[in-house]
Structures are given as structure tokens and as C-alpha cells.
Amino acid sequence: MRIKVLFFDDIFSDLFREKHSAEEVAWDDSWIDSISTALDESTQRIGVNFDIVKSGEIDAWESLIKNEAPDILLLDLFWVEQAQQKYNDRNRAIDISLDALQKIRKSFPTLPVVCYTIKPDYETMERAFNLGATFFLEKVPIAIPEVHSSLKYIFIYLIRQMQKENLILDSDF
């Protein structure tokens, strides 16, 4: 079975990379690598291949979803540099992703969307769920694949639920 994951994070954007040194993004890069490794390691053991498409172009969400046809979307909630550019206010970093989430949900109502951030608070989670997040993760500051291994099972579960709700039958499940 193949599962395509569209991974939206500001860490992948040129804008973010231009504003931050390699040392400043090292933790995020390690975290991303650990998730990629955790998903890659599942192939032989559980028979699932995860194809990961990474993008830092949140404003291109619609064309990316149409072109890539992901099974699931992984969405970072804080886009600091994009908020600075769009609103001239870094404190509106969450508005970038939540605006996109609301539009994604209208255009792609059955696409599972997993939102994440470091140290979420109740209000952040509620806003994300109210706008259509399917699941919420805390971005854990431990960058080893074993910590993120459960993510693959969450993805499989969400896709199975979507298939049940849409009465899509797939013999691989």
C-alpha cells in the first residue's frame, strides 16, 4: 500500500531559509528528518510505503493538493516569516495556516489534515479543530525516529476512517 503525505511546513520555504541561519533551523531539520525516517522505516515491516512531498509554499496549497493528490496533509501551524511578510506582524503566524486550513477544508472536505505545533495551547487546538483539523500533534522536541514512529499508525487509521466514511473499499486495508 502507498500513502502520499503532503507536508506543509515553513521550514521548507525559501523565505524562512533566507531569514534564518543553518544553526537556527538545525532543530527543525532534525525533527523533519526523524519523521521522514520513521515513515521510511515502515515499508518492509508493515507493508506501507509513505511518499512524502514537502512544501513551504502554503499559498500554493490548492495547486499542490490537486497536482499531488495526497492521502493526508501534515500542516505546521506557525508561519512566522509569512505572517511578517503578509501582515507585517509575526504574532499572526497562526493566521497563515488557519486561513489555509479553512480553504482546504472547503475544497477538500474528506482530506485528513493533521496539524501540529510545538507546545500547543487549548485555544490553538480548538481553533484548528473548529476550522477542520482532523487530528492534532504536538511537535515533540526529540528528533529520533522511534519517537515519531506512531505517526504512521495515525496516518493509516485516519485514511481507513476516511475510506469508511466515504464508503471507499480498498483491498489493501
Side-chain angles (χ1 to χ4, degrees), residues 10-11 13-25 80-82 84-85 88 90:
D10 63 341
I11 193 77
S13 76
D14 292 337
L15 179 62
F16 190 89
R17 294 282 177 175
E18 289 168 6
K19 302 283 183 178
H20 300 274
S21 69
E23 293 81 28
E24 290 176 301
V25 298
V80 178
E81 298 306 332
Q82 287 78 357
Q84 180 65 36
Q85 186 177 56
N88 200 29
R90 297 169 67 87

Side-chain angles (χ1 to χ4, degrees), residues 35 39 50 74 114 137 148-156:
I35 287 180
L39 294 177
F50 289 93
L74 191 54
V114 176
L137 293 174
H148 302 102
S149 183
S150 60
L151 189 57
K152 62 187 159 224
Y153 303 110
I154 292 167
F155 286 176
I156 292 167

Side-chain angles (χ1 to χ4, degrees), residues 58 75-79 93-102:
I58 189 111
L75 177 63
D76 180 19
L77 285 185
F78 283 89
W79 295 71
I94 193 170
D95 293 340
I96 299 292
S97 58
L98 293 183
D99 289 346
L101 175 59
Q102 187 172 23

Side-chain angles (χ1 to χ4, degrees), residues 69-142:
D71 297 300
I72 198 157
L73 179 69
L74 191 54
L75 177 63
D76 180 19
L77 285 185
F78 283 89
W79 295 71
V80 178
E81 298 306 332
Q82 287 78 357
Q84 180 65 36
Q85 186 177 56
K86 185 173 183 175
Y87 305 118
N88 200 29
D89 184 356
R90 297 169 67 87
N91 293 321
R92 293 190 61 191
I94 193 170
D95 293 340
I96 299 292
S97 58
L98 293 183
D99 289 346
L101 175 59
Q102 187 172 23
K103 293 172 187 170
I104 290 165
R105 190 48 66 219
K106 285 180 184 171
S107 298
F108 302 94
T110 61
L111 178 64
V113 179
V114 176
C115 294
Y116 65 92
T117 190
I118 192 163
K119 300 192 189 266
D121 56 42
Y122 178 79
E123 181 183 334
T124 299
M125 290 189 300
E126 281 302 303
R127 286 180 67 192
F129 283 127
N130 288 336
L131 291 172
T134 311
F135 198 82
F136 200 95
L137 293 174
E138 181 171 353
K139 189 174 177 180
V140 230
I142 300 175

